[in-house]
Amino acid sequence: MSTAEGKRGGCLICGKPLVYYETGKRMKCSICGKEEESEASCEDGHFVCDECHSKRGIRVIEEGCRKTESRNPIAIMQELMENPYIYMHGPEHHVMVGAAILTACKNSGVDMDFDLALEEMVRRGREVPGGICGFWGCCGAAVSTGTAYSILLKATPLSGNSWGRANGMTSRALAKIAEKGGPRCCKRDSFLAVQAAAEVLKEEMNICLEMPEEIFCAFSRENPQCLRRACPFYRQGSDTAERKG
């Protein structure tokens, strides 16, 4: 497995571009051999299941969140994103967004059983499949904000006010993501989701997380579908750096 190729958004086996299908197909994971339905493989037919794709990345997220003292969820994510097992795109982002929010809240003095909260965030987040932004119409980064809020509020399907607030959090993040349009970018969508989450936490719980005045994405060269100047986090001048590279 080439992590560099995975960073480019291509196949983790051969590096070639992914192909998405309108309907699911039964495929065998090229790493673990498990068969399951999927809407994506590479041009050569390699398929990697969500569990194999995100296993090492989720471990990186757990370890990074437990050791950081940062109160800035964007900074927490940016440090995690530098790890080679947090690929350009992938379901590990569905865990990372909520984990960064919970970590920043804990470091900001919010009272919680952090180990239990992080464990629950990982358990729930890894159940959100890759590609749902396009196939379900609900980006996993937005779902991750609602998951984190649900954990903070101790919401369940039978809750009243907290049920509505958790869904409202997802709605705010999803609206912010949808406004920028596609194609998907797990980095852009994660940043947008956390921006929305920070706004909601301040408004509803008076939790003031540290947030940067500006966010610059360092991954545009790794994303063939990058929106470039249409993305609010695009670093001006990186087109030139990309041509030189």
Side-chain angles (χ1 to χ4, degrees):
M1 180 177 66
S2 168
T3 56
E5 288 161 347
K7 277 286 198 176
R8 289 285 300 173
C11 176
L12 299 188
I13 304 301
C14 67
K16 292 189 177 180
L18 299 185
V19 177
Y20 288 94
Y21 312 104
E22 293 183 2
T23 57
K25 298 182 179 182
R26 195 77 181 169
M27 290 183 270
K28 181 182 290 188
C29 177
S30 298
I31 295 177
C32 71
K34 178 176 62 179
E35 286 193 3
E36 61 180 55
E37 293 282 332
S38 178
E39 297 90 353
S41 69
C42 80
E43 293 177 344
D44 281 354
H46 295 128
F47 160 67
V48 177
C49 70
D50 281 353
E51 183 178 356
C52 287
H53 190 290
S54 62
K55 183 184 297 183
R56 292 188 179 181
I58 289 176
R59 193 179 307 150
V60 165
I61 293 166
E62 289 183 275
E63 292 173 354
C65 287
R66 284 196 170 97
K67 73 179 183 182
T68 184
E69 297 180 357
S70 176
R71 294 180 291 173
N72 184 327
I74 296 294
I76 292 170
M77 290 200 305
Q78 286 174 323
E79 182 172 356
L80 293 170
M81 288 173 180
E82 292 294 335
N83 188 282
Y85 289 111
I86 305 297
Y87 301 117
M88 182 63 228
H89 309 292
E92 57 270 26
H93 294 79
H94 305 165
V95 172
M96 182 179 65
V97 168
I101 292 168
L102 291 172
T103 302
C105 285
K106 184 264 293 186
N107 292 340
S108 299
V110 177
D111 184 29
M112 71 173 85
D113 183 337
F114 178 68
D115 286 336
L116 182 62
L118 183 59
E119 180 181 328
E120 189 63 15
M121 184 65 234
V122 170
R123 186 188 70 79
R124 297 185 196 182
R126 73 191 330 158
E127 293 180 0
V128 181
I132 70 164
C133 54
F135 292 119
W136 292 12
C138 188
C139 176
V143 174
S144 193
T145 67
T147 303
Y149 206 26
S150 170
I151 292 169
L152 281 174
L153 297 172
K154 296 181 171 58
T156 75
L158 298 181
S159 299
N161 180 263
S162 59
W163 184 97
R165 290 167 66 184
N167 279 271
M169 171 73 89
T170 303
S171 174
R172 284 275 290 268
L174 190 59
K176 202 173 187 74
I177 290 168
E179 182 182 356
K180 298 302 176 184
R184 62 85 175 89
C185 172
C186 288
K187 301 298 187 285
R188 179 190 72 231
D189 297 341
S190 294
F191 293 145
L192 289 168
V194 169
Q195 283 185 327
E199 294 168 1
V200 173
L201 288 169
K202 183 176 181 180
E203 293 168 9
E204 297 190 0
M205 297 188 72
N206 199 30
I207 298 173
C208 298
L209 302 181
E210 289 185 1
M211 292 287 286
E213 291 185 9
E214 292 184 88
I215 301 172
F216 296 107
C217 178
F219 304 96
S220 58
R221 283 181 288 174
E222 297 172 12
N223 181 12
Q225 292 84 39
C226 177
L227 296 178
R228 299 297 190 271
R229 287 175 172 80
C231 173
F233 313 118
Y234 180 70
R235 187 182 293 274
Q236 296 296 322
S238 60
D239 279 346
T240 302
E242 185 172 3
R243 287 196 295 269
K244 288 180 179 179

